[in-house]
Each structure stands twice: as structure tokens, then as C-alpha cells.
Amino acid sequence: MAAASGPNLLAGQLVRFCGELREEGLAVGTAEILDSLAAVEQVPWSDREQFRGALAATLAKSQEDRRLFDLVFDRWFFRAAELEAIERDREGAARGEGAAGGEGDGDRIDIDELSELIRQAIADGDDARMGDLAQLAVAAFGRRGEGSGVVGVDVQRIRRSLGLTPGSAPGAGGSEDVELDREGVRRFESHLRRELERELIERTGKLPPARPLADLDRALPTNPAQDLAAVHRSVAMLKRRLATLGTEQRGRRRGRIVDVRRTMRASLETGGVPLRLRYRPKRPRRPEIYVLCDVSTSVTSASVFFLSVLHALHDSFRKLRSFVFIERISEVTEIFERERDFTKISERISRDGGVADISGYTDYGRVWLEFLEEISADLDPRSTVIVLGDARTNGRDPHAAAFARLTERAGRTFWLNPEPRLYWNYGDSVMAAYEPHTTEAFECWTTKHLEHFVDVVARP
Amino acid sequence: MDGLEESRSALEEAGYLADDATALVSHLARRLDKPVLVEGPAGVGKTELAKALARATGRELIRLQCYEGLDEAKALYEWNYRKQLLRIQAEASAADPDGAAPGDAVMEDIFGEEFLLTRPLLAAIASREPVVLLIDEIDKTDQEFEAMLLEVLSDFQISIPELGVVEAQTMPLVLLTSNNSRELTEALKRRCLYLWLDYPAVEREVEIVRLHAPDLDEQLARRLVEVVGMVRELDLKKPPSIAESIDWARALLLLGVEQIDADTFARTMSIIVKHRTDLDLVAERVGMRLPAAPRAAAPGDAATAG
């Protein structure tokens, strides 16, 4: 490639790369593209991590963005490597195998050499190199047409043909006496697996040239062990936003109401002439909130998230009562108020909640009836009811009328459904029966959805 | 300070151990003249980075601490109206004893640079020497203030209606820090490079602690950082920052402690944990896991403490 076309070529590639980022929902403007071009000129192109860092600093402007950026970056460069490998093959065939073009790295590496390099990388514990080598290995085996298409099988197949057995000394070459430790091989396997999975995505996603990252890839982290902290971080952010919302309203002169009693009292100073008007202080709306949270197995993954939302809400609203339900309903306000530790709360709820009866399947109808009976006297137009659940009744009577009565008594009713809107009313979901009675129903399976919802609730 | 490695070692000399991303972004910021938005949990050294950059580049540090209700009079500039008033009176009594209104000349005069009180942003822009400008905790301000910053950050200039546009004499190195307590506007983010700082890995934090408490035994430093890491894992109101690890290390040095056992931890943990509820939680979760105090060490400890 001619040197003169270098910058233009790079610019074109970058613009296309940014295009992919945009498709994944990152806000990448022309200004960012220009910045990123300027930034990559400042770092050596040969260092992939620095190149990635320079791009990320200019293109990904939040942690969430950075996560997506890394996914897209890996995808992009995997494809680039593949493309290059194919092109080199073609060139090689045209030139004839023996033609030495003067550049060593253009040559294809044979399996023994590759195996030796991988051993070295494992021994050094060099993760970046392992990743590169895994990519090479996958590309090499892909060309030999030995892939079975099943990731797990292929990982083992590649590992075996590279002769990487934990504890073994290198075979024929024998130049070095590095013993492969189990841990290192396992790490390399995970690299292989990643590459294969990525390749699989590429292969199956051939029709659209680059399959968008599955929405669920960036949905809420749902595995409690995996990333509860991430959920908490975002909820903590919401909490602070809720806390400051009230102050924004203060000091606005619009819609103030004259407090007659205080005005009269103040007028005594001026001999009974009401010179100064006194206004009623405008208090931010502190709604009474009733939260009903489904904790059955069909929403297991979501309920961890929902419980942590509840947890955070309890810190921000004084008048908040929470209930969990499966077949029956049970108030857990007290547990939330006493315990600060999240894991303890979920333990206690599963132990003392007493919400599962016989089957362990959700019975929405019965829950409404019980809720009406216990609580409805307390509901008034100032109260807000929030239901967290998937509206899957397992074929039982939805008792929409009871729900309607409940929503009539409460001022506002919101429904947060952890399933994408697309799945509502499929199978045993009876969302359609409830939705007309709610003030608004939301799908809520990412933090973005949650933020949107909080904006609505906190609106005065 | 040209290459990437040079910027890293300059930061290190200034007492800041930067990781790859930090070194890269601060290098880029200098080369591209772009402001940097630094986000991360409290106490990971965001502000310290700005100070270290100032030391490393030998520039003056100008700091603007943000808070709710910060306005342009406190951030940009303000007219020194007392001085203006004096000038008008002096002018009026000297030139025209008949008491006629002061002329246009005075009007023009009193909106000159000498009547301008410079606030941090204007000071950074107008400085003749290149400076490091730190806009700390930008997330504490209102959105309106962010909008006002845009002119400064993208064009490095400030328009003063009465005076005209003040352009930067030299390119300041700008750092904005945020604890992520609210989303910043897209417009602001667009103008900045982004850097996410997180708690450092164990190795790096050991280095940092040893840098600031050089007399501390390496083994002890490692143990200390591990314990702090354990504390950070818990769901606390305020997880311990790097500065607090350093404080703790210094305290242990003062007490002459050789090993972190349950007893020492109980006595000194208030240095890293600062909430009533957190204290209970940490004592229960972390304190229990530490080895009990060995018999021999107890009298020695008591002596140093007393």
C-alpha cells in the first residue's frame, strides 16, 4: 500500500468504525471522529492497547459506552484480521509459495511454530499475546476446515492438535523446558473460546454484515454474584437525582398560594394593614409509594435488580411501603428499614416472606384481592403504586377488576415489566388486562429504562 | 515530556503512579490541547492527578471548586464595582465641579481590565504562563453552569460584553473531575477526552502506599492493601479511598505495628471507615477474618499506644 494513501485509508476505516459504534447507540459526532483521528496520530499504531486507549478516550464518554466500545472494537478487529488473512492467502497463491517478499511477518506460521509461541506466551503469562495467538490459531484451523461448529468441541480440538497438555514438556522441538501449568492452559482456552464465539457470531450473522450486539448483551447485569455492584452504582445515581429533584422546584415563584393566616399575623406589625403577603411554602412532592414486587421464579433474574431498586428507594422516600408476592402478598417494609446489607435482605425475604404457598407460581389475581383487603383503606389520591412484575399468571384468573379498583383508589399506578414489550401478552402474560388501568406501563430491563421511569415518577 | 513514557515518568517523579490509561490520556490531552473529563468513585486520586500534572509540567495549578449554585461571578469574572464607583466620583469632582454627568470617556474607562476581578476561569485563560486548570466536582453544579463552560473548553476564550473577547495566551491543560452523581450533558462530554479512574489493582496500590510511606515494610503494605480491598468489597456508605490507605499506613508506622491482626485492626479501622453503620459492618465482616493478636505483641503495642 502506498504511504500517501495511509491517512485517508485510516480516516475511512475510522469513519466506518464510528458508524458501527453509532449503530450500537453511542453518540459519536463528527467532532469525536476528528478528535479520534488526531488522537491515534499520537500513539504508535503497532501497540493495540494504546491504539484502543486513544480511540476510547475520544469516542466512549462513559463507562457504559466504554463497555460497548470494547465489544465493537474486538468485533471490528477480529474481522479485519480475518480479512487480512484471506487476502494474504490470495497474494501468496498468486506469487507462489516460495516468493520471499522481504517481510517476515507476512508468512503464514505453521502449526509447530504456533504451538511453540503459545507455550512461550503461557509461560510468560502474557494475556495480550495469548489473545493474538488464539486468534491466529482459530484462523489457521478455520482454513483447514476442521471446525465442527460447536465451540466447546473446537476448543478442545485445537488445543489437542497444538499439543498443549497441562504438565507436559514440549515434544519434538524441546528447545525449552517450560512446563505448562494448568492455570495457563485454562486461560489460553478461554481466549480460544472467546475467539471462536466471536467467529461464530460473525459466521451466523453473515446476512447483516455486522450483527448488532444482542440487546441482552447490554441488559442489566442479572447474575447477583456477577455484578450487583453495577446495579447499585446506577441506582445510587438515581437516588441522588431523586434527592435533588425537590430543590429544583424550590424558589420558583410560579403558582404560589397566599397563606391568609400568616399574612394576617404579619399585618399586626403594620397596624393591621397587610403590607406583606405571606406565601405557603412549596414543598416538594414526597409521594407515598407502595411497591409490589414479584419474586417468583419466572422473574428471578429481574427480581434481584428490582429488590436493589427497592433498597435504594427506601433510602430516598420516607413514606415507602414495600410488598413482595408470589401467590400471597407480604409486607417487607420493616426488613428494608432495619437491614442495610443487601444480601441479608434478600435472605430474610426468602426466609420470612412466606409468600409462596403450594405451587410457587405467581397468582396475580389472588395478590390483588389480598392487597385490596389489607391496604386499600390506606390508599388515597396522593399515593403512588408501583408494580414490578411480568404479569404472567400461570393461567389463573387475572382479576383485572380488582386491580382496576386498586388503581382507582391510588393516585397513580405504574407497572414495570422486566420483559421487553415484544413479549408482553404472549403465553400466559396478561399485561393487556392490566395495562389500561395503569397510569403508565414501562418495560424495564436496562438501567436506561429505569432512569426514564424515575424521571416520570419524580416529576412534580 | 514528549513521548508517552516520558509523561508517565514525569508523573511518577511528581509522586503519582499512573496506570496505562491515565498516562495515555494525559499525554493525549497535552498533545491535542483537549480538556479531560475524569470520572470515578470518590478517593481514587482524580484531584491528585491534576496536582501531579501541574507539578510534572512545572505549571501553576488553578483550581475551581464547584458547588451547587456556583455562578459566573464566582467562576469567570466580576466587575469591581466599588472601584468603579470611586473612579466615577473622583472623575466627577475633579473634572467638572458643576456636577455635570460624567462623559463617555469615563464610561469606557471604568470597564477596563483594571476594574475586572478575575476568577479562576478567567485567570487560567488570561495567564501568560501555561497553567493547569482543575474544575473539581463539575457534577455538583447546575446544567446552566456547564453550558457556560462550553465556550471556555472548546475555544479557550471568554466573552465579556463590555470588554470583548479574552483569548487564551497559552493553552491551559484542563481537567474536569466528576463523581458521577449526575449525567453530564452531551455537549460537555463531546469537548472532552474521557478517563475513567477506578481503584487501582493491588500491585499498584502497594506501590502507591510505599511511595507515600517509604518506611513501611513491603509485606505489611501488601497485607494492608489487601485488607482495604476486602473493606471496599462490602456495600459501604463510603468505601475507603487511596488517601485513607496511605493515612492508615502512616498510622501503622507511628504505632510501630508489625502485623495487621484483629486487635490492631479494631483499634485503627476508624482511619479507613467513617460511618457508624459502616464500622459495625466492617468489624463484623473483616475484623473476624484477621488472625487474633499474638501474645508477645500485645504489651509492645500497648506501650507505643500509651
Side-chain angles (χ1 to χ4, degrees), chain B:
Chain B
M1 216 166 120
D2 271 315
L4 177 63
E5 280 313 309
E6 282 84 347
S7 6
R8 190 205 299 271
S9 51
L11 275 176
E12 197 170 322
E13 273 166 38
Y16 190 94
L17 297 175
D19 60 9
D20 291 345
T22 313
L24 180 64
V25 172
S26 45
H27 172 66
L28 286 177
R30 282 173 47 80
R31 300 301 293 266
L32 304 180
D33 288 324
K34 299 277 285 183
V36 183
L37 172 63
V38 191
E39 282 192 320
V44 291
K46 299 188 289 291
T47 309
E48 196 51 42
L49 173 63
K51 291 184 189 164
L53 270 175
R55 284 196 298 270
T57 51
R59 297 176 173 198
E60 191 196 343
L61 177 74
I62 295 182
R63 178 169 178 169
L64 174 66
Q65 180 69 47
C66 296
Y67 49 87
E68 208 174 319
L70 179 70
D71 59 3
E72 40 188 296
K74 298 208 183 72
L76 278 177
Y77 66 89
E78 200 173 6
W79 289 108
N80 190 344
Y81 79 97
R82 288 188 201 81
K83 208 168 161 190
Q84 287 176 328
L85 216 68
L86 277 175
R87 179 60 176 268
I88 294 170
Q89 282 175 345
E91 202 64 29
S93 56
D96 204 335
D98 305 330
D104 286 348
V106 185
M107 284 299 263
E108 231 157 66
D109 215 34
I110 60 166
F111 288 113
E113 270 175 53
E114 60 177 306
F115 295 98
L116 206 57
L117 291 172
T118 54
R119 302 293 185 209
L121 290 183
L122 182 60
I125 292 289
S127 165
R128 295 193 185 285
E129 299 292 318
V131 296
V132 173
L133 172 63
L134 166 64
I135 303 177
D136 214 0
E137 303 192 336
I138 175 80
D139 52 331
K140 296 270 165 62
T141 59
D142 324 310
Q143 293 210 342
E144 291 80 358
F145 183 79
E146 259 178 57
M148 200 196 71
L149 272 181
L150 298 181
E151 189 190 5
V152 179
L153 294 184
S154 57
D155 302 333
F156 294 102
Q157 64 175 41
I158 293 173
S159 339
I160 303 174
E162 297 88 346
L163 201 66
V165 176
V166 180
E167 279 177 20
Q169 312 271 325
T170 51
M171 279 299 168
L173 184 57
V174 186
L175 264 89
L176 301 101
T177 73
S178 157
N179 284 333
N180 219 356
S181 68
R182 79 178 163 84
E183 257 325 283
L184 299 173
T185 55
E186 286 293 327
L188 183 79
K189 284 184 171 178
R190 180 162 303 143
R191 284 162 176 82
C192 300
L193 300 177
Y194 183 81
L195 174 65
W196 172 265
L197 276 187
D198 214 331
Y199 292 115
V202 173
E203 289 300 325
R204 186 163 297 277
E205 191 163 1
V206 170
E207 282 175 38
I208 294 172
V209 167
R210 300 251 298 155
L211 185 73
H212 291 270
D215 298 335
L216 197 69
D217 176 55
E218 164 135 31
Q219 220 48 38
L220 184 61
R222 179 170 301 273
R223 187 77 193 117
L224 177 145
V225 169
E226 280 167 7
V227 173
V228 171
M230 263 151 69
V231 174
R232 278 187 198 137
E233 295 273 300
L234 303 172
D235 172 31
L236 297 184
K237 277 193 177 153
K238 193 195 121 357
S241 67
I242 298 178
E244 280 160 328
S245 318
I246 295 172
D247 285 347
W248 195 28
R250 286 181 178 152
L252 291 185
L253 266 183
L254 276 179
L255 291 172
V257 173
E258 275 158 19
Q259 198 194 347
I260 301 178
D261 49 43
D263 187 42
T264 333
F265 183 72
R267 279 191 296 146
T268 54
M269 84 180 168
S270 57
I271 298 172
I272 53 169
V273 185
K274 314 234 163 119
H275 262 285
R276 179 93 205 92
T277 46
D278 287 357
L279 277 172
D280 296 344
L281 188 66
V282 170
E284 185 187 319
R285 292 296 183 77
V286 179
M288 290 300 157
R289 277 201 255 163
L290 295 170
R295 284 276 138 241
D301 280 358
T304 30

Side-chain angles (χ1 to χ4, degrees), chain A residues 313-331:
Chain A
L313 284 171
H314 261 279
D315 278 353
S316 334
F317 293 96
R318 254 158 296 163
K319 290 195 166 179
L320 174 68
R321 292 175 67 179
S322 9
F323 302 83
V324 291
F325 65 86
I326 298 178
E327 291 188 279
R328 327 189 35 146
I329 193 157
S330 158
E331 179 156 8

Side-chain angles (χ1 to χ4, degrees), chain A residues 201-263:
Chain A
I201 288 176
E202 291 302 325
R203 222 163 350 107
T204 51
K206 260 284 127 55
L207 283 180
R211 200 182 69 144
L213 303 170
D215 266 339
L216 290 173
D217 278 358
R218 38 182 169 173
L220 295 161
T222 42
N223 180 353
Q226 168 201 340
D227 219 347
L228 197 60
V231 174
H232 263 232
R233 258 199 307 278
S234 65
V235 171
M237 207 170 92
L238 296 176
K239 189 164 81 187
R240 250 165 294 168
R241 270 202 6 219
L242 282 175
T244 52
L245 265 168
T247 57
E248 269 172 30
Q249 294 302 315
R250 243 174 257 153
R252 296 230 173 122
R253 298 195 147 237
R254 248 177 325 134
R256 291 200 299 183
I257 300 167
V258 175
D259 186 335
V260 179
R261 208 170 60 92
R262 287 181 53 218
T263 307

Side-chain angles (χ1 to χ4, degrees), chain A residues 174-202:
Chain A
S175 51
E176 283 160 64
D177 298 305
V178 268
E179 282 246 323
L180 289 170
D181 65 314
R182 208 163 290 275
E183 177 62 16
V185 172
R186 206 188 47 70
R187 284 234 303 273
F188 181 69
E189 273 181 21
S190 76
H191 279 294
L192 270 182
R193 179 176 300 275
R194 261 231 319 274
E195 292 304 331
L196 280 170
E197 274 169 0
R198 216 182 275 154
E199 195 204 37
L200 196 68
I201 288 176
E202 291 302 325

